[in-house]
Amino acid sequence: MLQWSLCLHLLAFTMSLSSGAVSSPGSGRFCGLLCPLQSEAEQSVRPTESGRVIERQKDAQGRRVEIRRSAGKELLQNINDTSDRLLIKGAKIVNDDQSFSADIYMEDGLIKQIGENLIVPGGVKTIDAHGRMVMPGGIDVHTRFQMPDRGMTAADDFYQGTRAALAGGTTMIIDHVVAEPGTGLLAAFNQWREWADSKSCCDYSLHVDITEWHKGIQEEMETLVKDHGINSFLIYLAYKDVFQLTDSQVYEVFSTIRDLGAIAQVHAENGDIIAEEQRRILELGITGPEGHVLSRPEEVEAEAVNRSVTVANQTNCPLYITKVMSKSAADVIAQARKKGTVVYGEPITASLGTDGSHYWSKNWAKAAAYVTSPPLSPDPTTPDYLNSLLSCGDLQVTGSAHCTFNTAQRAVGKDDFTLIPEGTNGTEERMSIIWDKCVVTGKMDENQFVAVTSTNAAKIFNLYPRKGRIAVGSDADLVLWDPDITKIISAKSHNLAVEYNIFEGMEVRGAPLVVISQGKIVLEEGTLHATEGSGRYVARKPYPDYVYKRIKARSRLAELRGVPRGLYDGPVCEVSVTPKAVTPASSAKTSPAKQAGQPIRNLHQSGFSLSGAQIDDNIPRRNTQRIVAPPGGRANITSLG
């Protein structure tokens, strides 16, 4: 084997000499088997036939990132430029737990080798990172691309949305399936798959929202988990009379989710209070976007988060709060985690990067562009507070909740803020804003950045280590990150289909230089090479260890046991129970666990008679029993053995 290897090396070197690719013995440096590379000095001045420089990129300090085709074995195999073999040399690999220097070799969309002096085949496209950071591609855990709303559709569909995500360094998204009431979960799931499969430019997965509750929904949830790779479901405590579930229904849904090994997500706002506040504010004549935040005070978010934590604790179900927008809501999550609750918090790009002061803008279209629920907090110190909690681990993952509507679509609510379509942008800006607000300010390091933008999400939703890590066997979704690039966010340059960007004019530091998705370069030198429909659906198995190890331990400890005691045989006081005239209709109507209601008493039928007869005269009565130990007397009225 050693002789064969030496022969091959000799053959490659001889061919290099004959083609003039190697000008001196000093330039015969090898990146691996049959893959002679030029020295850095030669690369900068003389691209050759066998070591052709394809792209040169410069960062803010003028350092180059070179993407080129290496020579060697391709002369023997006649490999053309469509090869998906990719080598990153001189990378500083950044995972959530460590950083180290190494080369990375990718083939067939997977990471095949990590180390130094790798032996790789020819025909390899090589990226010289020159010590720049290479990290796992971002995972945006919350998007709503192509979202239908009252006959309209969100401006950014799966093509536009995933393209923007790639531009920002995100290589996977998890979108939300929203079934209209009366539409089955499976039918809605298949519709989302059809949309995403044909348009998505990067890998994707799906959450499924529960918008009503009955036995059929429970059966469809089981099918989605077992046959379609779904392990997360979202319920709403807001949107009364549309999506909102009652507390008893939430209890039943959480119990079902726990039994399926999935994760319960909650849109946390008190829908009953919001409905009353909306009515009151409209009656005051306030119809503009400011009415949206006035009708949704911070307390209604915090209360709903606390209620969700309570139900999750009672059902021993893992909880995930989406769109954490306020200080008080984040504090509830932090306190619950300190007490041991299995709960995760997801702030979004908007809540980390801006505030709700814009709702009072004189420009109606601008103010309306910020409408989302829960609303952005008017407190300007909120973003910094949420970034601090994200940095210290009290909040764990980040999404964008990207759901954009253009001004004409939002104008449906020009006379009534409750009709404004909700949602903001953020999938393209997410990673740069978090880097600027957290890493540049010293709140977190590069490894924590990888955790909150990629790895934690992969672990929670059972994508790890396929996603969220640079390791042999992981998907080749990588980002070559430049911490020194400075850019100004603007609607004029973003990759979205809307006129407004809620981060307009914000200067951020840190951005991707090169983005690799499925082993292919999709972003280089600011140019996108996204392919519509190339994204793959990624199924997720239930019972992620990162979440369910603690849930299973609690299940073993939380078994309820009664107290063994003797039978009570003492006197029992007689009471008369009058059933309520009205019983809640929701539990019998929409709950899988239907229970027969008690008969309702006819209040028009009197039990009084002038003859002295009573309606219950036919019921035999017990003889009078004397109480031996009246109140205040002996402590025990009978022996319990």
Side-chain angles (χ1 to χ4, degrees):
M1 188 66 190
L2 180 61
Q3 291 176 342
W4 174 242
S5 177
L6 288 171
C7 289
L8 289 176
H9 273 290
L10 214 64
L11 174 62
F13 187 71
T14 304
M15 294 177 70
S16 298
L17 284 173
S18 63
S19 63
V22 180
S23 59
S24 67
S27 64
R29 186 165 56 88
F30 284 80
C31 69
L33 182 63
L34 302 182
C35 184
L37 298 177
Q38 300 166 292
S39 68
E40 290 182 12
E42 290 175 333
Q43 291 168 13
S44 63
V45 297
R46 186 174 59 85
T48 70
E49 187 65 27
S50 60
R52 177 167 56 91
V53 175
I54 297 174
E55 296 288 347
R56 283 193 179 95
Q57 296 184 42
K58 293 186 178 181
D59 62 20
Q61 297 180 1
R63 289 170 289 190
R64 278 195 294 272
V65 175
E66 294 180 353
I67 304 173
R68 56 189 172 77
R69 171 75 59 188
S70 64
K73 198 171 181 179
E74 70 173 313
L75 297 175
L76 302 176
Q77 294 185 339
N78 194 28
I79 296 174
N80 58 32
D81 282 349
T82 61
S83 170
D84 62 355
R85 294 168 176 169
L86 194 59
L87 176 69
I88 301 179
K89 290 191 65 66
K92 179 184 179 182
I93 297 174
V94 181
N95 280 320
D96 66 310
D97 55 351
Q98 61 177 332
S99 301
F100 59 97
S101 297
D103 301 339
I104 308 169
Y105 172 65
M106 294 155 273
E107 187 176 342
D108 299 327
L110 297 175
I111 297 174
K112 296 291 189 179
Q113 298 182 58
I114 297 176
E116 296 181 356
N117 302 316
L118 299 179
I119 298 176
V120 300
V124 177
K125 187 180 288 187
T126 302
I127 300 174
D128 284 318
H130 297 298
R132 312 301 285 170
M133 288 185 288
V134 176
M135 56 186 64
I139 301 174
D140 189 343
V141 290
H142 188 162
T143 64
R144 293 183 181 272
F145 300 144
Q146 211 161 320
M147 173 78 177
D149 184 355
R150 292 166 290 171
M152 300 179 291
T153 304
D156 291 319
D157 61 11
F158 275 96
Y159 170 68
Q160 196 76 43
T162 54
R163 189 172 181 273
L166 288 170
T170 291
T171 55
M172 180 175 180
I173 59 103
I174 310 181
D175 205 77
H176 279 265
V177 175
V178 184
E180 294 293 329
T183 304
L185 298 185
L186 285 171
F189 171 81
N190 290 330
Q191 177 66 78
W192 255 256
R193 282 292 311 272
E194 182 182 334
W195 288 338
D197 285 342
S198 62
K199 294 186 176 183
S200 181
C201 302
C202 67
D203 288 352
Y204 76 96
S205 195
L206 297 169
H207 308 291
V208 175
D209 295 4
I210 307 298
T211 55
E212 57 183 338
W213 184 238
H214 53 73
K215 187 69 175 177
I217 295 294
Q218 184 176 349
E219 293 170 351
E220 286 191 300
M221 289 171 66
E222 295 174 4
T223 301
L224 286 167
V225 171
K226 293 175 181 177
D227 301 333
H228 298 283
I230 296 294
N231 69 4
S232 51
F233 298 91
L234 181 138
I235 62 102
Y236 294 88
L237 298 182
Y239 305 110
K240 186 176 181 179
D241 299 328
V242 183
F243 296 152
Q244 181 178 332
L245 301 185
T246 65
D247 289 350
S248 60
Q249 290 172 336
V250 171
Y251 186 98
E252 293 174 15
V253 175
F254 278 18
S255 299
T256 300
I257 289 173
R258 176 206 60 216
D259 293 341
L260 293 173
I263 297 161
Q265 298 184 306
V266 175
H267 176 110
E269 291 181 287
N270 188 314
D272 292 322
I273 293 177
I274 290 170
E276 293 300 319
E277 286 295 289
Q278 286 177 333
R279 179 185 56 78
R280 182 179 69 87
I281 289 170
L282 285 172
E283 288 177 353
L284 292 174
I286 300 173
T287 61
E290 69 278 10
H292 179 74
V293 65
L294 292 173
S295 66
R296 287 173 137 89
E298 189 172 308
E299 292 84 354
V300 303
E301 182 187 359
E303 183 278 330
V305 171
N306 185 68
R307 191 156 29 109
S308 302
V309 168
T310 301
V311 178
N313 281 335
Q314 296 305 307
T315 56
N316 194 28
C317 179
L319 178 63
Y320 181 105
I321 303 296
T322 66
K323 298 180 72 173
V324 178
M325 307 296 280
S326 66
K327 291 181 179 179
S328 53
D331 285 340
V332 173
I333 295 169
Q335 289 301 317
R337 287 178 62 83
K338 286 179 174 64
K339 295 177 182 178
T341 301
V342 183
V343 56
Y344 306 97
E346 170 207 281
I348 64 172
T349 316
S351 63
L352 295 170
T354 188
D355 59 62
S357 60
H358 304 279
Y359 291 122
W360 282 268
S361 171
K362 295 290 186 180
N363 182 337
W364 184 93
K366 178 184 176 182
Y370 290 80
V371 170
T372 188
S373 291
L376 288 160
S377 172
D379 180 356
T381 65
T382 297
D384 185 66
Y385 189 83
L386 295 180
N387 280 301
S388 295
L389 292 191
L390 180 67
S391 300
C392 73
D394 286 341
L395 300 173
Q396 297 73 41
V397 288
T398 56
S400 66
H402 187 104
C403 184
T404 55
F405 292 91
N406 59 43
T407 301
Q409 291 173 314
R410 293 188 187 269
V412 169
K414 63 184 179 63
D415 300 317
D416 183 345
F417 65 84
T418 66
L419 301 178
I420 299 173
E422 298 177 2
T424 57
N425 61 283
T427 194
E428 182 175 0
E429 302 85 3
R430 182 178 68 105
M431 294 183 69
S432 287
I433 284 178
I434 295 170
W435 184 272
D436 184 75
K437 302 292 184 184
C438 296
V439 183
V440 173
T441 58
K443 292 179 184 291
M444 66 169 64
D445 60 26
E446 63 207 34
N447 306 104
Q448 290 172 292
F449 174 77
V450 168
V452 301
T453 58
S454 181
T455 307
N456 289 350
K459 290 179 178 179
I460 291 170
F461 295 109
N462 224 1
L463 296 163
Y464 186 86
R466 176 180 176 181
K467 305 287 186 183
R469 188 163 187 85
I470 298 179
V472 173
S474 297
D475 282 358
D477 292 348
L478 307 176
V479 177
L480 181 61
W481 189 264
D482 191 332
D484 301 316
I485 287 180
T486 300
K487 66 177 184 180
I488 297 177
I489 299 173
S490 174
K492 295 177 181 178
S493 57
H494 68 198
N495 291 279
L496 308 176
V498 287
E499 312 95 317
Y500 282 94
N501 190 306
I502 64 170
F503 309 106
E504 185 70 36
M506 181 184 295
E507 183 176 282
V508 292
R509 191 161 65 178
L513 274 178
V514 177
V515 177
I516 299 167
S517 176
Q518 300 177 23
K520 296 179 174 60
I521 297 174
V522 294
L523 175 73
E524 51 182 321
E525 207 172 39
T527 303
L528 277 168
H529 307 292
T531 303
E532 187 172 6
S534 62
R536 304 167 298 184
Y537 173 70
V538 181
R540 294 170 289 135
K541 293 181 180 179
Y543 296 104
D545 278 348
Y546 186 75
V547 175
Y548 266 87
K549 279 184 178 178
R550 287 191 289 161
I551 295 295
K552 291 175 181 177
R554 288 158 188 249
S555 295
R556 290 190 291 269
L557 293 174
E559 293 180 4
L560 301 179
R561 295 182 180 88
V563 177
R565 56 168 68 91
L567 295 176
Y568 173 77
D569 58 358
V572 178
C573 182
E574 290 185 20
V575 295
S576 60
V577 179
T578 303
K580 291 183 179 181
V582 179
T583 56
S586 59
S587 59
K589 229 167 133 185
T590 61
S591 168
K594 293 183 180 179
Q595 297 179 352
Q598 296 182 354
I600 299 174
R601 177 183 174 189
N602 185 352
L603 298 179
H604 295 285
Q605 181 181 353
S606 174
F608 173 76
S609 172
L610 291 174
S611 66
Q614 301 296 320
I615 195 170
D616 58 353
D617 282 347
N618 61 326
I619 301 175
R621 282 175 168 69
R622 183 171 67 172
N623 293 332
T624 303
Q625 185 170 0
R626 182 181 177 188
I627 297 177
V628 179
R634 291 167 54 194
N636 298 316
I637 62 175
T638 184
S639 172
L640 299 180

